[in-house]
Amino acid sequence: LTTFCLFEKTQLNVLEMDVAKDSALLNGVLMRTKETPNSSEVVTYAPFTLFPSPVPKAIFHQALTVQTHFNRLVDKISQDSNFLEEALASTIKVDNFTERLFNIYRHVLQEGRTQSIVLGLNRSDYMLDQKEDGSASLKQIEINTIAASFGGLSSRTPNIHRHVLKVAGRLEECKRILDNNPSAGLAEGLSKAWDLYGSERAVILFLIEEVQRNIYDHRYVENELWKRNIPVIRRQFEDVCKTGCLDQNKRLFVDGREVAIVYFRNGYMPQNYTEQNWEARLMIERSLAVKCPDISTHLAGTKKVQQELCRPGVLERFFPGEPDVVEQIRATFAGLYTLDMGPEGDKTVAMALAKPNQFVLKPQREGGGNNIYGAEICHVLEGVKNSTERMAYILMDKVQPRPVHNYLLRLGSPLKLSTCLSELGVFGVYVRYGQDMVLNECAGHLLRTKSDEHSDGGVAAGVAVLDNPFLV
């Protein structure tokens, strides 16, 4: 541990701790409080680490380099209806949420796509897997193709750690904090798709939740769009239900305003949907508006698709004649195993029950806090091992990350040196117009760190905090 505690002996007094918190406030790393989740009258700093956490330089650059390949992969999957049908055939039999999404996908396919502009804003998440010989490798945890968050706040966190290190007298280390601006990169993708849509009066609609503590993460992306004179409105599913309609050309109007892009910051969990909301989602998907993501890209990010990509020959299907790309993507894969009915799924069940601490059981859910670990895996699998219900999950090798030490600053929590685990996210942006990929970029990074007391959960779930990579 001591090798990766770069700032453990750096001393800051109580007043200087307040300097760190004030720096977060001054730099706009903000969240609404739990007590006032829908009011900006009372805000606080978003949770963050006191110091940046070490990340091996080679692994960091590997994650950034492979991102444009993952952008292409997600886009290729979204265009392959046969693959999506095959990959999700078992899941939609037992998982109602995925089935409802897939029914919309089939409806759109049968009716015919109305929009040839495809916009993808995704985030691929990784951890460092520590081998017994001391080496570490980059392993993908998941790829988020809908509502990938913290591009806004992570654009502001570098200045916090620069300031903290200056106050601590670590001027040389201060210079090594990386520039990072995902909010500008995400806005570039939205701006490109808006330009291609071709109507200066049309708006970008941020589709949001009713309770929105993380609004400032949205606002940084939104403000980047306003700088480009692109109008933005924020609406909920309920607003689309009440005031949304399609004209004879399938242009989408909400509150009487034409919508060029629907940017989903909601809609990734079952609890986001009432029957009316499902109807609104279908209307959006049928419309001429650019969807971010469209329904096929949403499905491309499911856990079951992630597991199917690990099968031999699947990546080659999407990248024929590009062995280097296949190798780079496959190098990031952890072991992933099917729980479909049959001998292969039976083998997976037996493997998980025998050594549950070596695996993670994953349902088809986003948003953090859904995964199952340790003895709980046995409890769940014993209940469904002979049932088709097990097909709602996949099994993944548990990544064994290298722990680091840091201080986690969170409102109302005592400050102490904690043993921590970090997760690196890389933002990807792409725009396809017809068959032409007109934008394909890595848009920046996100580092989240949590105490090793917690197995699962992100910043929004109150477990992880924002961080910056300190390359070593």
Side-chain angles (χ1 to χ4, degrees):
L1 284 175
T2 53
T3 307
F4 277 80
C5 298
L6 300 182
F7 303 102
E8 182 177 355
K9 296 182 179 179
T10 301
Q11 298 298 313
L12 291 178
N13 61 34
V14 173
L15 289 177
E16 288 168 334
M17 293 298 183
D18 284 339
V19 166
K21 297 173 185 177
D22 289 343
S23 178
L25 295 170
L26 286 169
N27 283 287
V29 182
L30 305 172
M31 295 185 85
R32 289 172 173 171
T33 64
K34 290 182 179 178
E35 294 73 24
T36 60
N38 275 352
S39 171
S40 292
E41 294 295 321
V42 182
V43 299
T44 185
Y45 58 88
F48 65 100
T49 59
L50 183 60
F51 297 113
S53 294
V55 174
K57 184 184 298 184
I59 285 178
F60 177 79
H61 288 297
Q62 178 190 358
L64 266 59
T65 299
V66 77
Q67 184 58 43
T68 53
H69 300 324
F70 271 111
N71 291 346
R72 291 177 59 207
L73 176 59
V74 169
D75 185 51
K76 286 173 179 287
I77 293 169
S78 74
Q79 297 177 72
D80 193 330
S81 59
N82 289 334
F83 175 77
L84 285 173
E85 286 273 1
E86 294 163 6
L88 295 172
S90 59
T91 305
I92 61 178
K93 293 177 182 177
V94 293
D95 187 276
N96 180 254
F97 180 60
T98 309
E99 181 189 21
R100 295 294 297 264
L101 294 172
F102 207 85
N103 286 342
I104 292 176
Y105 172 62
R106 282 174 171 158
H107 186 117
V108 171
L109 280 185
Q110 290 168 3
E111 189 173 284
R113 296 178 186 267
T114 57
Q115 181 54 266
S116 60
I117 303 166
V118 176
L119 168 62
L121 305 180
N122 62 63
R123 193 190 70 227
S124 187
D125 293 335
Y126 306 91
M127 296 185 86
L128 274 64
D129 192 26
Q130 180 79 40
K131 298 289 192 296
E132 292 182 1
D133 62 5
S135 64
S137 60
L138 185 75
K139 294 301 173 189
Q140 187 185 60
I141 304 302
E142 63 181 355
I143 188 161
N144 303 274
T145 61
I146 181 170
S149 60
F150 292 107
L153 293 188
S154 62
S155 302
R156 316 293 291 188
T157 53
N159 284 338
I160 300 177
H161 282 149
R162 288 184 182 120
H163 186 68
V164 168
L165 290 174
K166 285 179 184 177
V167 171
R170 307 293 290 263
L171 299 183
E172 288 304 311
E173 288 89 344
C174 169
K175 297 174 185 177
R176 292 170 59 184
I177 300 298
L178 300 172
D179 290 332
N180 189 35
N181 195 3
S183 58
L186 299 176
E188 178 64 24
L190 288 159
S191 174
K192 183 69 174 177
W194 183 83
D195 284 339
L196 290 170
Y197 185 85
S199 174
E200 291 186 356
R201 291 177 297 180
V203 302
I204 294 179
L205 187 155
F206 280 45
L207 192 74
I208 59 169
E209 299 174 74
E210 181 181 359
V211 177
Q212 191 58 74
R213 287 188 64 207
N214 197 26
I215 189 170
Y216 300 101
D217 185 52
H218 301 195
R219 291 295 193 197
Y220 289 119
V221 179
E222 181 182 334
N223 288 348
E224 289 285 345
L225 294 168
W226 282 111
K227 288 177 187 177
R228 294 165 166 83
N229 297 315
I230 298 174
V232 176
I233 62 173
R234 297 171 59 81
R235 297 292 186 273
Q236 300 173 32
F237 268 124
E238 289 73 13
D239 300 312
V240 179
C241 294
K242 291 175 183 176
T243 71
C245 64
L246 305 184
D247 72 3
Q248 65 273 21
N249 297 315
K250 292 190 178 178
R251 293 184 299 170
L252 175 64
F253 289 83
V254 176
D255 286 337
R257 306 185 72 175
E258 183 179 358
V259 177
I261 300 172
V262 178
Y263 177 28
F264 286 91
R265 294 300 299 251
N266 187 16
Y268 51 89
M269 296 186 291
Q271 54 265 42
N272 299 149
Y273 290 89
T274 62
E275 282 303 316
Q276 278 193 322
N277 292 1
W278 281 115
E279 291 174 11
R281 179 71 188 266
L282 176 59
M283 180 172 64
I284 291 169
E285 295 295 338
R286 293 180 60 236
S287 78
L288 189 64
V290 179
K291 281 69 70 174
C292 183
D294 62 22
I295 191 69
S296 57
T297 305
H298 186 170
L299 291 169
T302 56
K303 304 296 188 296
K304 183 59 178 176
V305 166
Q306 183 186 9
Q307 178 254 306
E308 288 294 319
L309 290 173
C310 284
R311 291 189 181 278
V314 174
L315 286 179
E316 286 82 358
R317 167 178 179 164
F318 293 109
F319 295 101
E322 298 185 73
D324 291 345
V325 172
V326 169
E327 183 180 355
Q328 288 179 55
I329 293 175
R330 187 166 283 146
T332 69
F333 286 171
L336 290 154
Y337 312 96
T338 182
L339 282 160
D340 287 355
M341 304 307 290
E344 189 179 3
D346 292 343
K347 182 180 178 181
T348 300
V349 170
M351 189 169 62
L353 292 175
K355 298 180 178 179
N357 290 328
Q358 293 184 13
F359 301 100
V360 182
L361 190 64
K362 291 188 167 188
Q364 309 299 315
R365 294 293 178 268
E366 304 296 335
N370 300 297
N371 295 335
I372 300 164
Y373 298 84
E376 186 65 16
I377 291 178
C378 296
H379 176 73
V380 172
L381 285 183
E382 286 288 357
V384 300
K385 65 181 180 181
N386 297 317
S387 164
T388 56
E389 290 180 39
R390 77 187 197 190
M391 298 191 302
Y393 302 89
I394 67 163
L395 192 74
M396 178 178 174
D397 285 342
K398 186 178 180 181
V399 175
Q400 305 294 338
R402 179 181 298 180
V404 299
H405 280 169
N406 213 325
Y407 298 88
L408 310 181
L409 276 72
R410 185 184 287 110
L411 183 67
S413 297
L415 190 69
K416 62 178 182 178
L417 187 66
S418 299
T419 303
C420 302
L421 308 174
S422 294
E423 185 170 330
L424 175 66
V426 180
F427 292 96
V429 178
Y430 65 89
V431 178
R432 177 169 51 81
Y433 189 28
Q435 293 303 310
D436 298 326
M437 188 71 82
V438 295
L439 180 68
N440 181 17
E441 294 180 353
C442 170
H445 58 269
L446 163 70
L447 194 69
R448 292 168 296 174
T449 295
K450 63 186 177 185
S451 167
D452 68 351
E453 299 170 353
H454 301 285
S455 296
D456 196 22
V459 178
V463 174
V465 306
L466 298 170
D467 199 350
N468 281 299
F470 188 87
L471 301 189
V472 294

